[in-house]
Amino acid sequence: MPSLSATDRARLPDSSFAYVDSQGRRRLPINDISHVRNALARFDQVDFEDDAARERARERLLRAAKKHGIVPLGFFDGQLRKARGANVRSLPRGTVTFLLTDIEGSTRLLERLGDDYAGLLRDVRTTIRTSVRASSGLEVDARADEFFAVFRRSTHALDAALEIQRALHAKTWPQKADVRVRIGMHTGRPTLTDTGYVGLAVHIAARICYASHGGQILLSSAAHDAFTERLAEGIAFRSLGRFSLHGLAEPEALFQVTAAGLITKFPRPRTIGPLRSRTAREGP
């Protein structure tokens, strides 16, 4: 990490730090990509004044990570593992389908909307939460502009994903903002501990979500293969090919959901590796 001298640190504005306490002490510099990575690693070592201060710092750090194209996988995994007590006991075991969402361009929206962004985020969360519950899903966690849900059946997860995209597309947003969310789905057998889900399935789900674009629903190969029932009329899966995802040893086959009311054309998935193959097959 590049050094940050006392003089250079003093010259930085407060906005270049994830946390400024009530005494004016500025911690967790986020002025460049190296310092953002360091702040992510050191976040849990900081003594915050209260939970509200911690949450504000977390959201600021997540926005900085997105600005620099950093996938804060530890945050995804950590947030999933923070469910406690009765919430954990209610979560399903065995084979489950994760659904993760993320607001595309949230930093740009925040800069554009200012104080209106808080209301927009609340409306997005309400729409997602309502769709998840209506489809028999369970909320695992919601932090900053990400939302995590789990389903016992993959068909229910797909129902929720479709409803989320359609409902958000139909809304009118402040200042005519274009609000889109990325959605990633993965099916697996994570381990459920007394602190929440852990395991490779959590990491894959996070990577699939990050690979998608706003308005898109992406499925992993495991999520795709979990659909043994015939899909409803008008719904299909389009094979995009195999891609290298950061941190995963093997390329992952990705599938895009196509259905009425969804955007159909997107750039290639946001992955670190080259496209291994490409087909245009559609079907369940």
Side-chain angles (χ1 to χ4, degrees), residues 130-256:
T130 299
S131 300
V132 166
R133 291 175 177 172
S135 300
S136 303
L138 294 173
E139 178 179 339
V140 179
D141 205 356
R143 297 295 179 97
D145 52 358
E146 293 93 18
F147 192 97
F148 304 85
V150 64
F151 298 79
R152 293 181 175 86
R153 297 181 60 189
S154 56
T155 52
H156 292 166
L158 178 59
D159 289 343
L162 290 170
E163 178 57 28
I164 289 167
Q165 295 292 24
R166 289 166 174 163
L168 292 177
H169 180 70
K171 283 182 173 291
T172 300
W173 301 99
Q175 300 182 34
K176 298 182 179 180
D178 185 15
V179 179
R180 300 184 183 184
V181 300
R182 307 180 181 100
I183 296 182
M185 291 172 51
H186 175 64
T187 299
R189 292 181 63 87
T191 298
L192 182 59
T193 70
D194 58 357
T195 57
Y197 289 113
V198 296
L200 184 60
V202 176
H203 292 256
I204 295 176
R207 292 305 186 193
I208 300 298
C209 179
Y210 179 80
S212 65
H213 296 275
Q216 189 175 36
I217 304 171
L218 281 188
L219 278 67
S220 67
S221 57
H224 170 267
D225 294 345
F227 285 89
T228 57
E229 303 174 18
R230 184 177 180 84
L231 297 174
E233 184 177 355
I235 301 174
F237 298 141
R238 180 187 176 202
S239 175
L240 302 181
R242 295 171 65 83
F243 296 84
S244 294
L245 303 181
H246 183 74
L248 300 182
E250 297 295 329
E252 175 67 37
L254 299 180
F255 296 82
Q256 177 183 317

Side-chain angles (χ1 to χ4, degrees), residues 79-97:
Q79 288 162 22
L80 280 169
R81 290 186 284 106
K82 285 184 182 296
R84 295 286 196 275
N87 289 335
V88 171
R89 290 193 293 272
S90 69
L91 297 177
R93 297 178 181 273
T95 300
V96 299
T97 296

Side-chain angles (χ1 to χ4, degrees), residues 3-15:
S3 60
L4 185 64
S5 68
T7 300
D8 291 337
R9 186 185 183 96
R11 289 173 178 168
L12 293 174
D14 286 351
S15 60

